[in-house]
Amino acid sequence: MPSPVSADHPAAQPPGRGSVEALITQARRLKGEVDAVRRDTRSDGSDPEERWQRALCDLALHQLDDLDAHLAQLRDGPPPAPAQTDAPPPGRPRTAGTPDGALLSRVGSAEWNLLTDEATWSGELYQILGLDPARPALTLDELPSLVLDEDRPRLTSMVTGCLVDARPIDGEFRVVRPDGAPRTVHMMGEPVLGADGGTASMWAVLRDVSELRSSQRTVRETRDSLTRHRRQEQTEHRIAAELQEAVLPPWRGSLRLPHRGPVALDLAAHRLPAATATLIGGDWYDALELPDGQTLLTVGDLTGQGVAVASGRAMLLGAVRGMAMAGTEPGELLTLLDRLLDSTVQPALGSAVCCRYRPESRTLVWAQAGHPAPLLYRDGTGRMLNTPDGVLLGACPGAVRGQSVVTLRPGDLLLLHTDGLVPGHSRTAAVDRLLGLAPRFGAARTAQDCVRTLVEEFGGAGREDDACVIVARVTA
């Protein structure tokens, strides 16, 4: 029904039909664009950010649907009031003219005459509140009977402010319909002043905003879930980074072996991080002087990323150091490491190379578990060492790993690396690229210079994964 106008407010002139049509066209075009974005936001429910994006799209579409229908009402003017006999009784499906959930069925109006204590409701308001339109409309004293107990003071305050202080009404409250369905209603209204300046009646427009508020709650919940997820990711990344810094050796350049005579190996190592700083993998490297004067060299990689992988790497690297200090040979060491990995709460797959360098004979004893073999550079050329048998760690618990022995010469250079050092290349192609660096390695003065060459070649912004390298040059 038309909204009454207060005695002290002139009636507003309706907008031009052409300008409203233009707004309707813009609203519908925007709806189409938002719907296209929504379709592109495919979510299976597992990604918090995708859930939040889809909830925002749903909310935007809901509001644009309402905007479209409001503008259509503005263009067409108020509909004629239907006879009460045409209104469907409670529980009977509505006709196709006003589908359930359409805007017209969610917006109703009412007027309460304070002089006669009469109430007049539109048919849509009966539908919103689930009441029989054949029954008299509820008075202002009876309306709170439908409102939830905790929302009644809010409704009372709004109505009192309107009737006593002539303040406009603009607020929400929740009702429970006779069928038990809860609804959220937004109420806007004004007092209608009589000739004497007193309040003669009050009119209001009531809108069922239940679906809108539900969409908004979904947006808030998905946003909060996304925030918690990102905080958890940040915490896990920080812990993984701290574990990585604590586990990987801090040394750079030459590793001098104290109290063992002349320096036998010039050592340098480096970790090439992934381009995405949040991805911390399970790559490791280590070099350690052993009690018998030999040197441990090892690189390896656990599959996966994050805190669990970082903690698993710390455990394995600690085990490698302990067994090497106890004199365990590389082949047996990797076999025992395999059993340790299999006994953990979260078994994983990994690969590793383990070497013991004996400076007195310049021999390298080494074994591998599904890992790229060390590369040997000599006299300006390079080759891959003959690989002993060895399957991935965690793939076949108890499998025995073979060992190889190679005799080195002064000036020889060894390169140990993890998978992914050369981005975008297969293992074979990566080895070819690395062997192609032999002339540059031959011209390098130190192991650290060789590491710099590797970083220049393969440390660019396109890296998808971490990688570790150790360069060892035989000096004596």
mmCIF file of all heavy atoms in Angstrom, residues 243-251 271 283-286 313 317 321 468:
data_model
loop_
_atom_site.group_PDB
_atom_site.id
_atom_site.type_symbol
_atom_site.label_atom_id
_atom_site.label_comp_id
_atom_site.label_asym_id
_atom_site.label_seq_id
_atom_site.Cartn_x
_atom_site.Cartn_y
_atom_site.Cartn_z
ATOM 1 N N LEU A 243 63.138 -23.918 12.357
ATOM 2 C CA LEU A 243 63.728 -25.262 12.349
ATOM 3 C C LEU A 243 64.807 -25.376 11.277
ATOM 4 O O LEU A 243 65.865 -25.979 11.503
ATOM 5 C CB LEU A 243 62.639 -26.317 12.118
ATOM 6 C CG LEU A 243 61.784 -26.709 13.318
ATOM 7 C CD1 LEU A 243 60.624 -27.594 12.870
ATOM 8 C CD2 LEU A 243 62.636 -27.442 14.353
ATOM 9 N N GLN A 244 64.531 -24.793 10.125
ATOM 10 C CA GLN A 244 65.506 -24.854 9.042
ATOM 11 C C GLN A 244 66.793 -24.145 9.421
ATOM 12 O O GLN A 244 67.895 -24.667 9.210
ATOM 13 C CB GLN A 244 64.907 -24.213 7.789
ATOM 14 C CG GLN A 244 65.831 -24.209 6.594
ATOM 15 C CD GLN A 244 65.096 -23.760 5.347
ATOM 16 O OE1 GLN A 244 64.623 -24.582 4.578
ATOM 17 N NE2 GLN A 244 64.998 -22.462 5.163
ATOM 18 N N GLU A 245 66.664 -22.965 10.001
ATOM 19 C CA GLU A 245 67.852 -22.219 10.409
ATOM 20 C C GLU A 245 68.615 -22.949 11.506
ATOM 21 O O GLU A 245 69.843 -22.894 11.571
ATOM 22 C CB GLU A 245 67.456 -20.820 10.889
ATOM 23 C CG GLU A 245 66.948 -19.910 9.787
ATOM 24 C CD GLU A 245 68.002 -19.667 8.729
ATOM 25 O OE1 GLU A 245 69.188 -19.508 9.087
ATOM 26 O OE2 GLU A 245 67.644 -19.646 7.536
ATOM 27 N N ALA A 246 67.875 -23.637 12.387
ATOM 28 C CA ALA A 246 68.535 -24.347 13.482
ATOM 29 C C ALA A 246 69.251 -25.601 13.006
ATOM 30 O O ALA A 246 70.269 -26.008 13.584
ATOM 31 C CB ALA A 246 67.503 -24.711 14.554
ATOM 32 N N VAL A 247 68.735 -26.236 11.944
ATOM 33 C CA VAL A 247 69.262 -27.531 11.513
ATOM 34 C C VAL A 247 70.393 -27.385 10.507
ATOM 35 O O VAL A 247 71.435 -28.026 10.623
ATOM 36 C CB VAL A 247 68.130 -28.395 10.925
ATOM 37 C CG1 VAL A 247 68.696 -29.622 10.230
ATOM 38 C CG2 VAL A 247 67.177 -28.825 12.027
ATOM 39 N N LEU A 248 70.208 -26.536 9.474
ATOM 40 C CA LEU A 248 71.227 -26.429 8.439
ATOM 41 C C LEU A 248 72.464 -25.725 8.986
ATOM 42 O O LEU A 248 72.356 -24.775 9.765
ATOM 43 C CB LEU A 248 70.680 -25.666 7.237
ATOM 44 C CG LEU A 248 69.517 -26.338 6.501
ATOM 45 C CD1 LEU A 248 69.140 -25.528 5.275
ATOM 46 C CD2 LEU A 248 69.854 -27.762 6.112
ATOM 47 N N PRO A 249 73.650 -26.183 8.606
ATOM 48 C CA PRO A 249 74.890 -25.592 9.148
ATOM 49 C C PRO A 249 74.983 -24.115 8.826
ATOM 50 O O PRO A 249 74.629 -23.680 7.716
ATOM 51 C CB PRO A 249 75.995 -26.381 8.435
ATOM 52 C CG PRO A 249 75.347 -27.636 7.950
ATOM 53 C CD PRO A 249 73.919 -27.284 7.679
ATOM 54 N N PRO A 250 75.465 -23.308 9.766
ATOM 55 C CA PRO A 250 75.552 -21.865 9.524
ATOM 56 C C PRO A 250 76.788 -21.463 8.739
ATOM 57 O O PRO A 250 76.903 -20.325 8.318
ATOM 58 C CB PRO A 250 75.607 -21.296 10.948
ATOM 59 C CG PRO A 250 76.284 -22.369 11.745
ATOM 60 C CD PRO A 250 75.829 -23.680 11.147
ATOM 61 N N TRP A 251 77.725 -22.386 8.523
ATOM 62 C CA TRP A 251 78.996 -21.987 7.912
ATOM 63 C C TRP A 251 78.852 -21.721 6.425
ATOM 64 O O TRP A 251 78.005 -22.267 5.747
ATOM 65 C CB TRP A 251 80.073 -23.052 8.163
ATOM 66 C CG TRP A 251 79.707 -24.440 7.720
ATOM 67 C CD1 TRP A 251 79.151 -25.416 8.473
ATOM 68 C CD2 TRP A 251 79.868 -24.991 6.404
ATOM 69 N NE1 TRP A 251 78.947 -26.549 7.722
ATOM 70 C CE2 TRP A 251 79.377 -26.323 6.460
ATOM 71 C CE3 TRP A 251 80.372 -24.509 5.195
ATOM 72 C CZ2 TRP A 251 79.376 -27.158 5.347
ATOM 73 C CZ3 TRP A 251 80.369 -25.344 4.089
ATOM 74 C CH2 TRP A 251 79.879 -26.654 4.174
ATOM 75 N N ARG A 271 71.789 -22.967 0.168
ATOM 76 C CA ARG A 271 70.398 -23.365 -0.072
ATOM 77 C C ARG A 271 69.773 -22.348 -1.001
ATOM 78 O O ARG A 271 69.772 -21.153 -0.714
ATOM 79 C CB ARG A 271 69.602 -23.426 1.236
ATOM 80 C CG ARG A 271 68.158 -23.893 1.043
ATOM 81 C CD ARG A 271 67.382 -23.869 2.354
ATOM 82 N NE ARG A 271 67.090 -22.509 2.780
ATOM 83 C CZ ARG A 271 66.016 -21.794 2.420
ATOM 84 N NH1 ARG A 271 65.139 -22.330 1.586
ATOM 85 N NH2 ARG A 271 65.840 -20.565 2.864
ATOM 86 N N ASP A 283 64.648 -30.091 2.024
ATOM 87 C CA ASP A 283 66.031 -30.265 1.574
ATOM 88 C C ASP A 283 67.019 -29.994 2.712
ATOM 89 O O ASP A 283 66.792 -29.103 3.543
ATOM 90 C CB ASP A 283 66.324 -29.323 0.407
ATOM 91 C CG ASP A 283 65.482 -29.623 -0.812
ATOM 92 O OD1 ASP A 283 64.243 -29.432 -0.749
ATOM 93 O OD2 ASP A 283 66.044 -30.048 -1.818
ATOM 94 N N TRP A 284 68.107 -30.730 2.708
ATOM 95 C CA TRP A 284 69.155 -30.477 3.705
ATOM 96 C C TRP A 284 70.530 -30.677 3.078
ATOM 97 O O TRP A 284 70.683 -31.301 2.041
ATOM 98 C CB TRP A 284 68.991 -31.367 4.933
ATOM 99 C CG TRP A 284 69.501 -32.785 4.773
ATOM 100 C CD1 TRP A 284 70.803 -33.209 4.778
ATOM 101 C CD2 TRP A 284 68.710 -33.964 4.622
ATOM 102 N NE1 TRP A 284 70.872 -34.568 4.630
ATOM 103 C CE2 TRP A 284 69.603 -35.066 4.540
ATOM 104 C CE3 TRP A 284 67.339 -34.201 4.559
ATOM 105 C CZ2 TRP A 284 69.159 -36.372 4.376
ATOM 106 C CZ3 TRP A 284 66.900 -35.501 4.410
ATOM 107 C CH2 TRP A 284 67.802 -36.577 4.330
ATOM 108 N N TYR A 285 71.521 -30.119 3.771
ATOM 109 C CA TYR A 285 72.928 -30.391 3.456
ATOM 110 C C TYR A 285 73.690 -30.363 4.768
ATOM 111 O O TYR A 285 73.260 -29.740 5.749
ATOM 112 C CB TYR A 285 73.501 -29.356 2.476
ATOM 113 C CG TYR A 285 73.570 -27.953 3.030
ATOM 114 C CD1 TYR A 285 74.673 -27.520 3.772
ATOM 115 C CD2 TYR A 285 72.542 -27.045 2.816
ATOM 116 C CE1 TYR A 285 74.741 -26.244 4.286
ATOM 117 C CE2 TYR A 285 72.593 -25.766 3.320
ATOM 118 C CZ TYR A 285 73.700 -25.365 4.057
ATOM 119 O OH TYR A 285 73.756 -24.095 4.571
ATOM 120 N N ASP A 286 74.834 -31.033 4.797
ATOM 121 C CA ASP A 286 75.651 -31.017 6.009
ATOM 122 C C ASP A 286 77.060 -31.475 5.677
ATOM 123 O O ASP A 286 77.274 -32.286 4.758
ATOM 124 C CB ASP A 286 75.052 -31.934 7.083
ATOM 125 C CG ASP A 286 75.595 -31.616 8.470
ATOM 126 O OD1 ASP A 286 76.232 -30.555 8.630
ATOM 127 O OD2 ASP A 286 75.389 -32.423 9.396
ATOM 128 N N ARG A 313 62.951 -33.519 8.908
ATOM 129 C CA ARG A 313 64.307 -33.261 8.436
ATOM 130 C C ARG A 313 65.268 -33.107 9.617
ATOM 131 O O ARG A 313 66.391 -33.633 9.581
ATOM 132 C CB ARG A 313 64.325 -32.006 7.571
ATOM 133 C CG ARG A 313 65.724 -31.545 7.173
ATOM 134 C CD ARG A 313 65.657 -30.291 6.327
ATOM 135 N NE ARG A 313 64.957 -29.219 7.005
ATOM 136 C CZ ARG A 313 64.551 -28.103 6.405
ATOM 137 N NH1 ARG A 313 64.755 -27.947 5.107
ATOM 138 N NH2 ARG A 313 63.934 -27.150 7.080
ATOM 139 N N LEU A 317 68.452 -35.564 10.057
ATOM 140 C CA LEU A 317 69.796 -35.007 10.027
ATOM 141 C C LEU A 317 70.524 -35.248 11.353
ATOM 142 O O LEU A 317 71.737 -35.526 11.376
ATOM 143 C CB LEU A 317 69.749 -33.523 9.710
ATOM 144 C CG LEU A 317 71.061 -32.843 9.318
ATOM 145 C CD1 LEU A 317 71.796 -33.640 8.253
ATOM 146 C CD2 LEU A 317 70.812 -31.421 8.844
ATOM 147 N N ARG A 321 74.032 -37.441 11.685
ATOM 148 C CA ARG A 321 75.222 -36.966 12.399
ATOM 149 C C ARG A 321 75.634 -37.941 13.490
ATOM 150 O O ARG A 321 76.824 -38.257 13.644
ATOM 151 C CB ARG A 321 74.936 -35.590 13.001
ATOM 152 C CG ARG A 321 74.807 -34.488 11.971
ATOM 153 C CD ARG A 321 74.259 -33.210 12.585
ATOM 154 N NE ARG A 321 74.211 -32.113 11.625
ATOM 155 C CZ ARG A 321 73.585 -30.961 11.835
ATOM 156 N NH1 ARG A 321 72.923 -30.769 12.982
ATOM 157 N NH2 ARG A 321 73.599 -30.006 10.919
ATOM 158 N N CYS A 468 69.497 -27.657 -2.398
ATOM 159 C CA CYS A 468 70.720 -27.502 -1.635
ATOM 160 C C CYS A 468 71.905 -28.019 -2.430
ATOM 161 O O CYS A 468 71.777 -29.002 -3.184
ATOM 162 C CB CYS A 468 70.650 -28.236 -0.298
ATOM 163 S SG CYS A 468 69.469 -27.512 0.868
#
